[in-house]
Amino acid sequence: MPLTAPTLKPFAAAPQHGPAVEPALLHEFFTRAARKWPEHVAIDAPPCAASEHRRTITYAELDRLTDALAGHLRALVTRECIIAIMLPRNAEHVYVAQLAVLKAGASYVCIDPTFPDAQVGMILGDAKPVAVLTDAAGVDRTRRIDPARGALDVATWDDQPHRHVPLAPAPWLTPSSLAYLIYTSGTTGKPKGVMIEHGAIANMVRGDLVTFPAKPDDRVAQNSSVAYDSSVAEIWMALAAGATLVVMDDDATHLGPDLVPWLQTEGVTVFCPPPTLLRATGCANPARELPDLKRIHVGGEPLPQDVADRWAPGRCLVNDYGPTECSVVATRAVVRAGEPVTIGTPIPGFRAFVLNEHLEEVADGVSGELCLGGPGVARGYLNDADMTARKFPVHPRLGRLYRTGDLVHRDPHGNLVCHGRIDAQVKVRGYRIELEAVESRLAACPGVRAAACRVQGEGPQQQIVAFLVPTDPAAPPHFDALKGALRDQLPEYMVPAHFGLIDALPVAVSGKLDRRKLPALEVHAPEPHGRIIDPRDEIEERITAAVRALFGLKERVSVDHDFFHDLGGDSLRAAMLISKLRDDPTTSSLAVRDVYQARTVEGLARRARAAQARG
């Protein structure tokens, strides 16, 4: 049986017209490119912390390798089904696995290896994959989390000889077949699986090839985790056009000020970052420093005007908008310096409507909910027919829609202007987060009667903060214990940076939480182990001063405070700290990866002293 929402039929792609028949299935775009440019480099994985050697693979090699793995998988795949992929982004293996799964006739769900065991187990239990493609460490982890789930180590697959036997197309595949599954934050704390069909994602790829095609000599950076749908746009922008996909492993995405030299060295011509990542580079003149970077597609979070004005000159800056439920990109705008930022107009195949609470269209200039229709709309949510019916209504006049929950208006030029969320969903540093998911996990912790979260700060200073109503006000739960409990269940980006106590949660007349009345949380530095260790030399003093200024802390900071766990730091703040320390000759040697590895003032000072000693 196909994996479909019980109350809805799959939304089939619109028929193609004209003499040229475009691919109808996602992997067929790659197959066509491999035939046209067999000797072009498809994937280039630069040296990284996990491998000191560069790994490259041509389109012909990738075609042969994925055919071989697909043939092996075909024994498991006789109809529409799901195969899980849990591989790091430091080589070509995760892309080999994706293509092989599609060629075998299955769909895939990618799981980031950094996810906690609880989330991995939840995804495996919900998706029920017929197999997990992973590496040696992932095989052991899968057996521990879900002993009944079969796991295959494919990280060494390309090191073995394989006879290339082209695989016959899976006879059950149509544009209405499932291509991939993406899990997003759910209001109950349980992630929900968004089902994207071949016809839906093929609509986006076809549109890219018409409106913003990459060229075979382009080098497209792949910086998003493959567990998120933004990675799909990056991957297929390259692999559908014969271009080279340049792998950015997790360390590369954390380079901060060193990202610009990395982009220069790797000759990247197309880049698809969230605006936060652009800001983290601290690049003062991108037009001069990155002349080879021809096009930037930003997305995942609002594009601030100052970032647009800095990065638009000298290249094409495209603001992409699209929820996971609409196959990555639904609308886009070319942004020019000095002009207002919008999310533009629908890409080919999509229709955009601004509707009121009764799902009636409003006049241009009037704000309403953005609702999207067309072949790119998802099939629905796996194993959740009720949520599918609520979020994907069939309008009597406009057809099947996806309700985005975003508040927009249409300006006089026909461009959509976004004003943020209507509901409790937020975007922080490009991550889509349901605050209710965090609250439900907190409320289940011992000592917590109720919990509420809000986003505090503006622009790059945004953080999630949590307010708790303790069961016993005289003995509230320890905040560090709550952070640890959340880290065992949720990705790091969903864990609140700071916690505070409140007597009662503010509620509206209806009795529902009134998030707008939550107070601003005054941020204080914690006291690890019940004491503060003050700086012991000039270098520790300077780093401590920079940390206090970064977080706006008035009180003392202990040199053994963990930058991330204790102080609530993140990738952007790590980049901002290093940018500040680079201005001081005594700490100019430090890089963002040092913050991730050393994590404390004393650890950073130790590295700065070692660099000075080396001269």
Side-chain angles (χ1 to χ4, degrees):
M1 293 290 292
L3 301 164
T4 185
T7 58
L8 294 173
K9 296 179 180 178
F11 193 88
Q16 299 297 307
H17 301 289
V21 178
E22 286 288 324
L25 305 175
L26 181 56
H27 53 283
E28 291 176 344
F29 289 98
F30 166 77
T31 302
R32 184 177 66 175
R35 289 171 182 165
K36 292 182 70 174
W37 300 287
E39 301 310 313
H40 282 207
V41 173
I43 298 171
D44 185 356
C48 62
S51 173
E52 60 183 16
H53 303 293
R54 181 178 293 272
R55 296 176 67 99
T56 61
I57 183 169
T58 67
Y59 274 84
E61 292 167 339
L62 186 57
D63 196 28
R64 289 193 294 269
L65 193 59
T66 52
D67 273 351
L69 181 54
H72 181 77
L73 296 175
R74 184 62 69 82
L76 302 171
V77 181
T78 57
R79 57 180 177 84
E80 183 174 275
C81 64
I82 296 170
I83 293 178
I85 300 171
M86 186 165 61
L87 289 163
R89 287 184 307 122
N90 54 24
E92 74 279 9
H93 307 124
V94 69
Y95 312 106
V96 169
Q98 288 182 359
L99 279 168
V101 168
L102 294 174
K103 285 184 173 184
S107 58
Y108 66 81
V109 57
C110 284
I111 302 172
D112 195 306
T114 65
F115 285 172
D117 285 356
Q119 188 177 25
V120 174
M122 194 176 297
I123 292 173
L124 293 178
D126 189 60
K128 295 179 173 54
V130 298
V132 180
L133 306 185
T134 184
D135 52 17
V139 169
D140 292 340
R141 190 180 182 198
T142 302
R143 288 171 179 164
R144 185 181 74 251
I145 296 172
D146 191 346
R149 198 71 54 194
L152 174 65
D153 178 1
V154 297
T156 56
W157 183 265
D158 54 348
D159 295 330
Q160 305 169 15
H162 302 287
R163 189 166 64 92
H164 182 227
V165 179
L167 192 66
W172 56 86
L173 281 184
T174 71
S176 295
S177 298
L178 192 65
Y180 63 84
L181 189 66
I182 295 282
Y183 276 86
T184 67
S185 171
T187 57
T188 63
K190 176 184 176 182
K192 52 183 186 289
V194 181
M195 298 184 287
I196 301 295
E197 298 173 347
H198 277 271
I201 189 59
N203 178 77
M204 186 206 72
V205 177
R206 278 194 299 269
D208 278 353
L209 289 173
V210 171
T211 56
F212 289 99
K215 295 181 174 59
D217 59 352
D218 273 324
R219 290 175 61 79
V220 182
Q222 203 282 287
N223 87 90
S224 300
S225 165
V226 291
Y228 305 114
D229 67 324
S230 49
S231 67
V232 178
E234 297 166 338
I235 292 167
W236 289 98
M237 192 174 291
L239 296 188
T244 298
L245 191 70
V246 184
V247 177
M248 292 181 69
D249 71 329
D250 291 342
D251 282 346
T253 62
H254 294 152
L255 285 175
D258 294 323
L259 181 58
V260 170
W262 188 93
L263 294 170
Q264 292 169 338
T265 300
E266 294 303 324
V268 170
T269 60
V270 181
F271 191 28
C272 306
T276 293
L277 190 56
L278 293 181
R279 192 188 291 280
T281 66
C283 185
N285 194 333
R288 185 185 67 230
E289 297 185 46
L290 292 166
D292 295 331
L293 186 56
K294 299 185 297 187
R295 193 168 74 249
I296 297 177
H297 288 256
V298 293
E301 61 185 350
L303 172 61
Q305 189 69 54
D306 67 306
V307 174
D309 292 345
R310 176 168 292 187
W311 285 86
R315 61 185 53 83
C316 178
L317 177 63
V318 185
N319 191 23
D320 284 343
Y321 165 88
T324 300
E325 288 86 348
C326 292
S327 308
V328 192
V329 179
T331 74
R332 61 175 28 139
V334 175
V335 179
R336 297 174 179 85
E339 296 183 1
V341 174
T342 76
I343 59 171
T345 56
I347 68 168
F350 264 101
R351 294 166 293 143
F353 307 99
V354 184
L355 308 180
N356 62 20
E357 63 271 21
H358 304 296
L359 295 186
E360 299 165 336
E361 290 186 85
V362 301
D364 288 355
V366 177
S367 295
E369 182 178 7
L370 176 59
C371 295
L372 298 164
V377 174
R379 183 187 294 180
Y381 299 112
L382 182 66
N383 301 325
D384 197 337
D386 290 341
M387 178 66 76
T388 297
R390 288 197 301 271
K391 295 292 287 185
F392 296 86
V394 179
H395 194 280
R397 184 169 52 85
L398 305 178
R400 187 164 182 262
L401 301 173
Y402 172 66
R403 301 187 65 171
T404 68
D406 284 328
L407 189 67
V408 302
H409 80 266
R410 204 183 305 271
D411 72 13
H413 305 288
N415 293 306
L416 295 164
V417 181
C418 193
H419 303 289
R421 297 292 303 174
I422 297 172
D423 54 22
Q425 187 185 103
V426 297
K427 281 284 187 75
V428 178
R429 302 190 307 280
Y431 294 109
R432 169 177 160 178
I433 301 167
E434 300 274 3
L435 293 179
E436 293 173 351
V438 185
E439 293 161 352
S440 66
R441 295 302 176 92
L442 274 174
C445 291
V448 178
R449 185 185 303 278
C453 297
R454 59 165 287 187
V455 174
Q456 185 166 294
E458 298 294 330
Q461 297 297 332
Q462 281 192 329
Q463 289 182 311
I464 298 176
V465 298
F467 294 87
L468 310 175
V469 179
T471 304
D472 180 1
H478 200 283
F479 294 161
D480 285 346
L482 295 177
K483 279 189 176 183
L486 291 182
R487 286 193 178 97
D488 289 340
Q489 304 173 69
L490 299 172
E492 185 67 33
Y493 63 82
M494 292 181 69
V495 178
H498 302 284
F499 293 77
L501 299 177
I502 194 169
D503 293 335
L505 299 183
V507 295
V509 176
S510 64
K512 295 182 179 180
L513 172 67
D514 190 344
R515 218 176 290 277
R516 295 170 298 179
K517 292 184 179 178
L518 287 170
L521 181 62
E522 188 174 347
V523 176
H524 296 280
E527 293 191 11
H529 320 302
R531 82 287 185 265
I532 293 286
I533 302 175
D534 289 315
R536 295 157 294 195
D537 64 14
E538 185 179 1
I539 293 181
E540 286 189 352
E541 190 76 61
R542 294 183 181 186
I543 298 174
T544 298
V547 169
R548 289 177 61 195
L550 177 69
F551 288 99
L553 298 172
K554 296 179 181 179
E555 63 266 39
R556 295 147 63 200
V557 169
S558 182
V559 297
D560 63 348
H561 275 142
D562 186 290
F563 182 84
F564 300 98
H565 289 179
D566 294 328
L567 298 175
D570 51 52
S571 58
L572 177 58
R573 285 173 175 77
M576 293 168 67
L577 176 64
I578 292 303
S579 293
K580 188 174 183 62
L581 294 176
R582 287 277 176 90
D583 295 333
D584 186 332
T586 61
T587 54
S588 60
S589 62
L590 294 173
V592 174
R593 62 167 56 93
D594 292 317
V595 183
Y596 280 88
Q597 294 169 359
R599 304 184 75 91
T600 64
V601 167
E602 63 182 351
L604 288 173
R606 193 179 303 118
R607 294 191 175 208
R609 291 188 210 101
Q612 282 185 330
R614 291 193 298 268

